[in-house]
Each structure stands twice: as structure tokens, then as C-alpha cells.
Amino acid sequence: MSCDTPYFIGIDIGTGSARAFKASSTKDTITWRDQHDYRIFEQSTNNIWEQICTAVKEILKQSNVPATAVKGLGFDATCSLVVSDFDGNPITVTKGSGIGNHGDRNVILWADHRAEKEAELINSTGSIVLNYVGGTMSLEMEVPKILWLRKRMDPALFARCQFFDLPDFFTYKATGDNTRSFCSVTCKCSYVPDKGWQPDFFERIGLGELVDGGNWKHMGAARGQVQTAGSPVGRGLSRKAAEELGLVEGTTVGSGLIDGYAGWMGTIAARYTENGQLSHVLPSLDESRHRLAIVAGTSTGHIVQSRDGVFVKGVWGPYRDTAFPGWWMNEGGQSSTGQLIDFIITTHTAYPELKERAKQEGKCIHTVLLDILEKLRHENNVDTYTELTKDVHFYPDFHGNRSPIADPRMRGSIVGLELDSSIADLARKYYLTLEAIALQTRHIIDALNTAGHDITSLYLSGGQVKNEVIMQLFADTCGIPVILPKSYSEAVVLGAAMLGRIAAEGVKDGEDMWKIMVEMTPAGTLVAPGASSTVKKLLDAKYNIFLEMIDIQRRWRRQIEEATY
């Protein structure tokens, strides 16, 4: 590799792994669960940093790129809460006698649902903060979790804590500079766009000490110490971080993004091929308003940008300056999608049979399930899998609803069950799960468009892109084209690498940022809606039933509450 060619490294910290991008290198991270409390998910920044360092060194070795050729570094990560002391040492978040002491388990993962009562308290305040999270704050956000810790931690120990969203912690870890990103503080930490921190809100919910006379030392982002995506952080890599990463001290580090927003950055500017032909028109920045990025992995995020703030009930945002200066973004989401697919498959009584058959046939389990569905389709003399499962209705919120209902108490349901535990029944339930995820995606898009957005295409990334069936379901159910990235696994970390380039080149203007995105994003592939009129009618009917299942569940809950209290 030529030393004259500049290289930029993206680092992506996902739910179960940390990886670096130039030549891909992925390292697993550890998540701790509580066997007595299904809501608990914890991680360690020490463990994650070790995996990051190993991954970066490996890609330099694999690609034969000298450290001096790396000109910029960008981080994205899940929206998880990190707790450290003011020297950056990890503070334990695990309930019990050790909480607040130094210890490795210092991350409350995004999926952790321990702070339900704290979120209920926050949502009762009527604060302006709630206007920027769709009217209801999710228990997955950082302030409910901080409040949970405050109630359980010795006050003296709590006073020495500083709190980060995970992307901001790693720019801090890499540079020693405590400057925060608009993405993290506005999207997950209750920093109000154009207005900043709201002291009355924190005082009202019992976190008044975080105000700190307006210094906000526990939360950061006070007095201008907050940046848009890709702005250079501090003086670049510290000596210690550079040694641990195998890079050069002072290498530029760009202000980070939450992983979903990095997925937006790594996909949304793509051109695409349709019927083997590459589109000739380069997308404009204005076109980004019509493109919804969907990052579909363990959970799913739905992100769209707009010139003006659009308030959408049950959808997070609008957030200003999150990625581009002066632009606004909304974020919808599904708390459990890839996780739900795995759950439906692995908890079925026919799962051992499925694994054995996959082993014998040398296929992945998803391919075997599709083989079974195809056989059932022929046996039942129908044209599509939707027709095969038309009389069964699935509601997918096994882990609560993030958008657009914003209700963590929502639960999953299946209507139309039979006394069938066969592998054929597993195949049907597998397809129903994919269909339900697509129907809920339509629900989110409808909420966004009704409020003022104009979404005309979907740009996918994440592990679910490998599943051709659900990609076609997205197109058919939502009635708009889906664009698949060149690499499902690298779109998010590519977005992080763009941050490194934006920072290294000193780019500040949105149009110039967009040009970098267009240049660096490989062309995708368009999947057009292809449902027949029969299937379209079925999907529309199933969507109406999907909405009705929401109303029924809420009504039943009210009836039980009235009978109980």
C-alpha cells in the first residue's frame, strides 16, 4: 500500500461485537445477563476497548497499511449508558452491594429494561424534553437508567460519576477530550435541540445534582462542548490510545454517531442498480429527505432527515444537528427484530429437528425453513407464502413497543394457532414473524408520513439484509422500493469511517459532507414492490388486523387494570 494514499478507519461497537473497517476485522464482546431478571443487559468498556484495539491492529496487518497512512478515525456504537469516574475508570452498574464502586461492568446496554418505573415518572412530568422524543421517553434512553442508578447508589459514590452514551465514551477514551456529540446527547440524553439541558426537568425528576450550577460536569455538553458528526475531537488520538491501537498520536478522531445513524450515513447516499443497470443520476442532499434508512439487526432503527423539525407522536425526535449542521432527524425503532426471529425459531419444539436437517443438508436453518415453506406452498396450491399463512395473525412486540406506540408494556400475540408442533408449523411461524416485522415497519412509515415526512424509498443495512424474503416483504408491504447495500455487514462501519474522513479533511458544510458520502458509498441494488393484486389485498387486510390487535391489547389491559384496582 502506498504511504501517500490516505486511509480512514471506522470502528463499530455493536450489541455483541466490536469491529474496525478498512479490511474487516470483528471481535466478540461480552454481555452479562441476570438469570433472575430478564430485563438486565450489562457490558464492560474495558472489554470492548480491548477488542477494538485487537481489531484495529489486525486490519492494519491484513491490509498492509502503515499507521502513518491512517489520517482519520471514527466511532459508532449502540446507544448504551456508560458510567465512569472523572478519570475515566469504570464504575459498576450491577445492582447489589458493589454498585457505584470501581469494577468492569459499567455499561447498561440499550436493550436493558430495568428502568420502567423511572421512565413512567419522567413521562408524567409534561416536560418540554418529552416533545423531542415523540411525547414518551423510552426506558431504553439514558436518563431513566441514570435515575435508576441514583436511587440505588450511595450519594457520595454517585457524585463521582460521569455519564456517557457509548459513542461519546469512546471518543473520550481515544482522545482524553470530554466533548460530546449532538447525536448522543440529543437523541438519548434529553439535551433539547436549540435549548440545551433543562435544569427544571432534572430537578423535578430527582436528578438536580447533575445541573451542577450549570456546569453539567456529570453529563458534559455544557457551554458549547458539543459537536456535529465528524467534527474533530480534541487534538486527536492521545499517546496512550495511539499506543494501544497501534496508530499515531494526534491522528484525527471525528465526533461519533449512534450505530443506527452511522448506518444512515453509510447507505443513504447510494446510487443503485435496477435490472442490472446503474442509475445515472447522482443523489442530491435534498433527496435524503425521501430516503428512510433502516438498520436491521438484533433490533431495528428507522432514521430520516428533514430540513425542518417534524414532530411525530411515538417517534423519537426531531433532533437538530445530529448528523448535518442545521438539519433535523427522526428515529423510529423496533426493540426486537433479529432477536425475535431467533427466539421464534429456537424456542419451537421442532428446533432440534431443524438443526439436524440443516446439518445433514449442509444448509443454514433459514434456507431449510424456506425449502419447507416452498413445499407447503405447492402442497396447498397457493402462489405465495402470504396466502399460505393468511389465517394466522402475529403481533411482534415481545419486548415492548419502541415506535410508534412508545409503550414498553406491549406484548406479542399470535391468533390462529393449531395443535401442531411440527417443523412445518415452525416454518409457518418463521414466515409470520418476518411478515409481522414488515407490517410494523409500515406502521412506523405511516406515522412518519402522516406527520409531514415524504418517504419514497427504504435503504437497508444490517444482518437482516441477507434475508431476501423479508426484504421483498418490506417492499411489498410498504409499497415502495428497497435498496440493499453492496455489503450488509459493512454499511454501518463504513459510516463510521466517513466520520474519520470528514474530521481529517475539516469538512463542516452539509453539502460537502454529502459529497463525501456519495463518493464513498458503493452502489446498492433495488428491490421493487412485486406483490400481485391478491397478495396486496391480503397484506392490506393483515395490516388493518395488525392495527386492531394493538387496540384490542390496550383495551384488554385497561379491563384487567380496572378489575385489579
Side-chain angles (χ1 to χ4, degrees), residues 105-215:
R105 290 168 62 169
N106 68 319
V107 180
I108 302 180
L109 195 65
W110 64 267
D112 189 295
H113 280 195
R114 71 182 70 182
E116 182 173 347
K117 291 189 181 301
E118 288 73 21
E120 289 176 357
L121 170 64
I122 289 167
N123 287 321
S124 71
T125 63
S127 169
I128 188 176
V129 166
L130 302 178
N131 296 345
Y132 293 86
V133 290
T136 304
M137 185 172 293
S138 170
L139 77 176
E140 294 179 1
M141 292 185 172
E142 311 306 12
V143 173
K145 293 171 181 174
I146 294 171
L147 182 56
W148 185 93
L149 291 169
R150 175 65 183 87
K151 290 178 178 179
R152 290 158 179 81
M153 198 180 290
D154 181 281
L157 297 180
F158 186 82
R160 67 174 182 171
C161 294
Q162 56 176 340
F163 304 98
F164 297 85
D165 195 42
L166 195 58
D168 282 353
F169 177 80
F170 282 106
T171 58
Y172 167 65
K173 177 80 173 177
T175 65
D177 189 290
N178 206 345
T179 301
R180 308 299 178 96
S181 67
F182 275 112
C183 186
S184 280
V185 297
T186 60
C187 296
K188 305 302 171 188
C189 299
S190 304
Y191 185 94
V192 176
D194 291 335
K195 298 176 180 65
W197 297 119
Q198 301 298 299
D200 59 331
F201 166 70
F202 284 89
E203 289 164 358
R204 185 171 179 182
I205 65 172
L207 288 173
E209 61 262 62
L210 300 186
V211 177
D212 186 36
N215 293 314

Side-chain angles (χ1 to χ4, degrees), residues 41-57:
F41 295 79
E42 296 174 353
Q43 291 184 332
S44 161
T45 53
N46 282 344
N47 169 251
I48 296 169
W49 182 252
E50 287 172 5
Q51 304 312 314
I52 289 170
C53 293
T54 301
V56 170
K57 289 174 181 176

Side-chain angles (χ1 to χ4, degrees), residues 154-300:
D154 181 281
L157 297 180
F158 186 82
R160 67 174 182 171
C161 294
Q162 56 176 340
F163 304 98
F164 297 85
D165 195 42
L166 195 58
D168 282 353
F169 177 80
F170 282 106
T171 58
Y172 167 65
K173 177 80 173 177
T175 65
D177 189 290
N178 206 345
T179 301
R180 308 299 178 96
S181 67
F182 275 112
C183 186
S184 280
V185 297
T186 60
C187 296
K188 305 302 171 188
C189 299
S190 304
Y191 185 94
V192 176
D194 291 335
K195 298 176 180 65
W197 297 119
Q198 301 298 299
D200 59 331
F201 166 70
F202 284 89
E203 289 164 358
R204 185 171 179 182
I205 65 172
L207 288 173
E209 61 262 62
L210 300 186
V211 177
D212 186 36
N215 293 314
W216 298 93
K217 67 175 181 290
H218 305 277
M219 301 294 288
R223 297 182 174 86
Q225 285 189 298
V226 58
Q227 297 177 313
T228 54
S231 299
V233 178
R235 298 181 178 180
L237 284 180
S238 68
R239 179 179 299 178
K240 183 174 187 294
E243 290 174 354
E244 292 171 348
L245 290 164
L247 294 171
V248 176
E249 181 181 357
T251 300
T252 305
V253 176
S255 183
L257 286 171
I258 295 165
D259 53 357
Y261 291 82
W264 175 89
M265 184 165 275
T267 57
I268 211 73
R271 299 164 69 190
Y272 55 82
T273 57
E274 183 177 9
N275 299 322
Q277 297 295 316
L278 178 64
S279 59
H280 297 293
V281 179
L282 291 176
S284 67
L285 175 56
D286 189 67
E287 174 64 19
S288 70
R289 298 185 299 112
H290 306 295
R291 298 181 171 193
L292 179 71
I294 298 181
V295 184
T298 306
S299 63
T300 297

Side-chain angles (χ1 to χ4, degrees), residues 128 276 310 495 502 517:
I128 188 176
V310 179
I502 290 166
M517 290 167 60

Side-chain angles (χ1 to χ4, degrees), residues 260-491:
Y261 291 82
W264 175 89
M265 184 165 275
T267 57
I268 211 73
R271 299 164 69 190
Y272 55 82
T273 57
E274 183 177 9
N275 299 322
Q277 297 295 316
L278 178 64
S279 59
H280 297 293
V281 179
L282 291 176
S284 67
L285 175 56
D286 189 67
E287 174 64 19
S288 70
R289 298 185 299 112
H290 306 295
R291 298 181 171 193
L292 179 71
I294 298 181
V295 184
T298 306
S299 63
T300 297
H302 310 74
I303 297 171
V304 64
Q305 181 167 258
S306 57
R307 289 191 180 275
D308 299 309
V310 179
F311 291 84
V312 187
K313 183 175 174 56
V315 173
W316 297 341
Y319 303 129
R320 191 175 188 271
D321 300 319
T322 311
F324 283 18
W327 284 71
W328 296 76
M329 304 186 90
N330 286 95
E331 177 187 356
Q334 296 159 286
S335 293
S336 180
T337 51
Q339 180 188 49
L340 177 63
I341 295 167
D342 290 343
F343 178 83
I344 293 298
I345 293 171
T346 59
T347 58
H348 197 282
T349 55
Y351 178 56
E353 180 184 350
L354 174 64
K355 285 199 301 181
E356 182 59 30
R357 179 165 166 178
K359 180 180 178 181
Q360 290 178 357
E361 297 179 6
K363 299 177 179 179
C364 77
I365 58 174
H366 296 269
T367 301
V368 174
L369 289 169
L370 292 177
D371 290 345
I372 296 167
L373 284 167
E374 190 63 16
K375 181 173 181 290
L376 290 170
R377 187 182 67 79
H378 283 289
E379 290 174 352
N380 287 270
N381 195 31
V382 294
D383 293 330
T384 64
Y385 304 147
T386 297
E387 294 168 273
L388 182 68
T389 58
K390 64 184 176 63
D391 294 318
V392 188
H393 309 287
F394 188 117
Y395 185 76
D397 281 334
F398 284 45
H399 199 52
N401 182 276
R402 189 184 297 173
S403 303
I405 305 170
D407 185 350
R409 297 176 297 170
M410 293 299 292
R411 292 295 178 262
S413 60
I414 304 177
V415 177
L417 294 174
E418 298 177 333
L419 288 173
D420 188 353
S421 60
S422 68
I423 196 169
D425 179 71
L426 171 53
R428 290 189 189 93
K429 286 192 173 74
Y430 167 70
Y431 181 76
L432 283 164
T433 307
L434 306 185
E435 184 181 76
I437 292 168
L439 290 169
Q440 192 165 63
T441 301
R442 176 177 171 181
H443 193 196
I444 293 167
I445 293 170
D446 282 356
L448 289 166
N449 284 342
T450 299
H453 286 288
D454 182 18
I455 293 163
T456 58
S457 55
L458 310 178
Y459 282 68
L460 270 291
S461 62
Q464 290 177 44
V465 172
K466 293 181 293 181
N467 191 318
E468 295 180 3
V469 174
I470 195 171
M471 295 300 106
Q472 189 64 58
L473 269 169
F474 282 145
D476 292 346
T477 304
C478 301
I480 53 179
V482 168
I483 288 77
L484 307 182
K486 180 180 179 181
S487 170
Y488 77 88
S489 63
E490 292 182 350

